[in-house]
PDB file of all heavy atoms in Angstrom:
ATOM      1  N   GLY F 766      -0.245   0.539 -13.501  1.00  0.00           N
ATOM      2  CA  GLY F 766       0.631  -0.563 -13.287  1.00  0.00           C
ATOM      3  C   GLY F 766       1.064  -0.765 -11.844  1.00  0.00           C
ATOM      4  O   GLY F 766       1.185  -1.915 -11.396  1.00  0.00           O
ATOM      5  N   LYS F 767       1.336   0.264 -11.168  1.00  0.00           N
ATOM      6  CA  LYS F 767       1.878   0.124  -9.796  1.00  0.00           C
ATOM      7  C   LYS F 767       1.163   1.164  -8.800  1.00  0.00           C
ATOM      8  O   LYS F 767       1.363   0.926  -7.616  1.00  0.00           O
ATOM      9  CB  LYS F 767       3.356   0.336  -9.745  1.00  0.00           C
ATOM     10  CG  LYS F 767       3.813   1.625 -10.362  1.00  0.00           C
ATOM     11  CD  LYS F 767       5.395   1.702 -10.485  1.00  0.00           C
ATOM     12  CE  LYS F 767       5.722   2.955 -11.186  1.00  0.00           C
ATOM     13  NZ  LYS F 767       7.162   3.033 -11.299  1.00  0.00           N
ATOM     14  N   GLY F 768       0.362   1.978  -9.289  1.00  0.00           N
ATOM     15  CA  GLY F 768      -0.258   2.950  -8.392  1.00  0.00           C
ATOM     16  C   GLY F 768      -1.348   2.378  -7.488  1.00  0.00           C
ATOM     17  O   GLY F 768      -1.586   2.830  -6.371  1.00  0.00           O
ATOM     18  N   ALA F 769      -2.038   1.317  -7.912  1.00  0.00           N
ATOM     19  CA  ALA F 769      -3.128   0.781  -7.166  1.00  0.00           C
ATOM     20  C   ALA F 769      -2.650  -0.235  -6.107  1.00  0.00           C
ATOM     21  O   ALA F 769      -3.442  -0.735  -5.311  1.00  0.00           O
ATOM     22  CB  ALA F 769      -4.079   0.047  -8.028  1.00  0.00           C
ATOM     23  N   PHE F 770      -1.377  -0.584  -6.023  1.00  0.00           N
ATOM     24  CA  PHE F 770      -0.887  -1.462  -5.074  1.00  0.00           C
ATOM     25  C   PHE F 770      -0.995  -0.978  -3.633  1.00  0.00           C
ATOM     26  O   PHE F 770      -1.329  -1.705  -2.789  1.00  0.00           O
ATOM     27  CB  PHE F 770       0.674  -1.800  -5.357  1.00  0.00           C
ATOM     28  CG  PHE F 770       1.190  -2.904  -4.543  1.00  0.00           C
ATOM     29  CD1 PHE F 770       0.900  -4.212  -4.864  1.00  0.00           C
ATOM     30  CD2 PHE F 770       2.034  -2.649  -3.501  1.00  0.00           C
ATOM     31  CE1 PHE F 770       1.420  -5.229  -4.099  1.00  0.00           C
ATOM     32  CE2 PHE F 770       2.563  -3.692  -2.690  1.00  0.00           C
ATOM     33  CZ  PHE F 770       2.243  -5.002  -3.050  1.00  0.00           C
ATOM     34  N   CYS F 771      -0.820   0.309  -3.475  1.00  0.00           N
ATOM     35  CA  CYS F 771      -0.868   0.897  -2.078  1.00  0.00           C
ATOM     36  C   CYS F 771      -2.142   1.795  -1.966  1.00  0.00           C
ATOM     37  O   CYS F 771      -2.370   2.671  -2.866  1.00  0.00           O
ATOM     38  CB  CYS F 771       0.348   1.725  -1.778  1.00  0.00           C
ATOM     39  SG  CYS F 771       1.860   0.737  -1.722  1.00  0.00           S
ATOM     40  N   VAL F 772      -2.914   1.653  -0.902  1.00  0.00           N
ATOM     41  CA  VAL F 772      -4.008   2.493  -0.640  1.00  0.00           C
ATOM     42  C   VAL F 772      -3.634   3.372   0.479  1.00  0.00           C
ATOM     43  O   VAL F 772      -3.210   2.904   1.539  1.00  0.00           O
ATOM     44  CB  VAL F 772      -5.273   1.671  -0.204  1.00  0.00           C
ATOM     45  CG1 VAL F 772      -6.416   2.521   0.225  1.00  0.00           C
ATOM     46  CG2 VAL F 772      -5.636   0.686  -1.363  1.00  0.00           C
ATOM     47  N   MET F 773      -3.831   4.672   0.330  1.00  0.00           N
ATOM     48  CA  MET F 773      -3.459   5.672   1.351  1.00  0.00           C
ATOM     49  C   MET F 773      -4.782   6.183   1.907  1.00  0.00           C
ATOM     50  O   MET F 773      -5.629   6.689   1.182  1.00  0.00           O
ATOM     51  CB  MET F 773      -2.679   6.821   0.745  1.00  0.00           C
ATOM     52  CG  MET F 773      -1.328   6.446   0.215  1.00  0.00           C
ATOM     53  SD  MET F 773      -0.440   7.801  -0.505  1.00  0.00           S
ATOM     54  CE  MET F 773      -1.297   8.003  -2.026  1.00  0.00           C
ATOM     55  N   SER F 774      -4.922   6.053   3.196  1.00  0.00           N
ATOM     56  CA  SER F 774      -6.028   6.606   3.919  1.00  0.00           C
ATOM     57  C   SER F 774      -5.563   7.517   5.028  1.00  0.00           C
ATOM     58  O   SER F 774      -4.565   7.203   5.663  1.00  0.00           O
ATOM     59  CB  SER F 774      -7.056   5.552   4.464  1.00  0.00           C
ATOM     60  OG  SER F 774      -6.269   4.637   5.281  1.00  0.00           O
ATOM     61  N   GLY F 775      -6.353   8.585   5.258  1.00  0.00           N
ATOM     62  CA  GLY F 775      -5.811   9.475   6.312  1.00  0.00           C
ATOM     63  C   GLY F 775      -6.742  10.645   6.607  1.00  0.00           C
ATOM     64  O   GLY F 775      -7.897  10.621   6.035  1.00  0.00           O
ATOM     65  N   LYS F 776      -6.296  11.580   7.340  1.00  0.00           N
ATOM     66  CA  LYS F 776      -7.080  12.694   7.786  1.00  0.00           C
ATOM     67  C   LYS F 776      -6.272  13.932   7.772  1.00  0.00           C
ATOM     68  O   LYS F 776      -5.074  13.880   8.254  1.00  0.00           O
ATOM     69  CB  LYS F 776      -7.628  12.344   9.165  1.00  0.00           C
ATOM     70  CG  LYS F 776      -8.688  13.323   9.646  1.00  0.00           C
ATOM     71  CD  LYS F 776      -9.299  12.783  11.003  1.00  0.00           C
ATOM     72  CE  LYS F 776     -10.512  13.663  11.332  1.00  0.00           C
ATOM     73  NZ  LYS F 776     -11.166  13.163  12.509  1.00  0.00           N
ATOM     74  N   VAL F 777      -6.741  15.007   7.368  1.00  0.00           N
ATOM     75  CA  VAL F 777      -6.030  16.320   7.390  1.00  0.00           C
ATOM     76  C   VAL F 777      -6.741  17.172   8.432  1.00  0.00           C
ATOM     77  O   VAL F 777      -7.853  17.601   8.248  1.00  0.00           O
ATOM     78  CB  VAL F 777      -6.071  16.998   5.995  1.00  0.00           C
ATOM     79  CG1 VAL F 777      -5.447  18.343   6.028  1.00  0.00           C
ATOM     80  CG2 VAL F 777      -5.472  16.084   4.941  1.00  0.00           C
ATOM     81  N   ASN F 778      -5.994  17.478   9.458  1.00  0.00           N
ATOM     82  CA  ASN F 778      -6.569  18.302  10.555  1.00  0.00           C
ATOM     83  C   ASN F 778      -6.149  19.790  10.276  1.00  0.00           C
ATOM     84  O   ASN F 778      -5.541  20.110   9.186  1.00  0.00           O
ATOM     85  CB  ASN F 778      -6.049  17.864  11.863  1.00  0.00           C
ATOM     86  CG  ASN F 778      -6.507  16.481  12.244  1.00  0.00           C
ATOM     87  OD1 ASN F 778      -7.703  16.056  11.900  1.00  0.00           O
ATOM     88  ND2 ASN F 778      -5.680  15.657  12.752  1.00  0.00           N
ATOM     89  N   SER F 779      -6.386  20.616  11.214  1.00  0.00           N
ATOM     90  CA  SER F 779      -6.097  22.095  10.999  1.00  0.00           C
ATOM     91  C   SER F 779      -4.578  22.357  10.823  1.00  0.00           C
ATOM     92  O   SER F 779      -4.217  23.244  10.042  1.00  0.00           O
ATOM     93  CB  SER F 779      -6.722  22.902  12.128  1.00  0.00           C
ATOM     94  OG  SER F 779      -6.070  22.528  13.346  1.00  0.00           O
ATOM     95  N   GLU F 780      -3.748  21.727  11.592  1.00  0.00           N
ATOM     96  CA  GLU F 780      -2.326  22.042  11.475  1.00  0.00           C
ATOM     97  C   GLU F 780      -1.530  20.817  11.063  1.00  0.00           C
ATOM     98  O   GLU F 780      -0.344  20.935  10.723  1.00  0.00           O
ATOM     99  CB  GLU F 780      -1.756  22.614  12.820  1.00  0.00           C
ATOM    100  CG  GLU F 780      -2.325  23.944  13.133  1.00  0.00           C
ATOM    101  CD  GLU F 780      -1.872  24.473  14.471  1.00  0.00           C
ATOM    102  OE1 GLU F 780      -0.957  23.761  15.043  1.00  0.00           O
ATOM    103  OE2 GLU F 780      -2.432  25.467  14.910  1.00  0.00           O
ATOM    104  N   ASN F 781      -2.027  19.665  11.222  1.00  0.00           N
ATOM    105  CA  ASN F 781      -1.278  18.370  10.932  1.00  0.00           C
ATOM    106  C   ASN F 781      -2.280  17.402  10.358  1.00  0.00           C
ATOM    107  O   ASN F 781      -3.434  17.624  10.103  1.00  0.00           O
ATOM    108  CB  ASN F 781      -0.616  17.903  12.193  1.00  0.00           C
ATOM    109  CG  ASN F 781      -1.583  17.649  13.332  1.00  0.00           C
ATOM    110  OD1 ASN F 781      -2.789  17.617  13.110  1.00  0.00           O
ATOM    111  ND2 ASN F 781      -1.029  17.428  14.509  1.00  0.00           N
ATOM    112  N   GLY F 782      -1.752  16.218  10.221  1.00  0.00           N
ATOM    113  CA  GLY F 782      -2.562  15.091   9.670  1.00  0.00           C
ATOM    114  C   GLY F 782      -1.811  13.811   9.768  1.00  0.00           C
ATOM    115  O   GLY F 782      -0.646  13.758  10.196  1.00  0.00           O
TER     116      GLY F 782
END
Side-chain angles (χ1 to χ4, degrees):
K767 54 188 175 182
F770 188 77
C771 295
V772 176
M773 296 178 287
S774 56
K776 191 172 188 176
V777 178
N778 298 321
S779 58
E780 295 178 8
N781 58 12

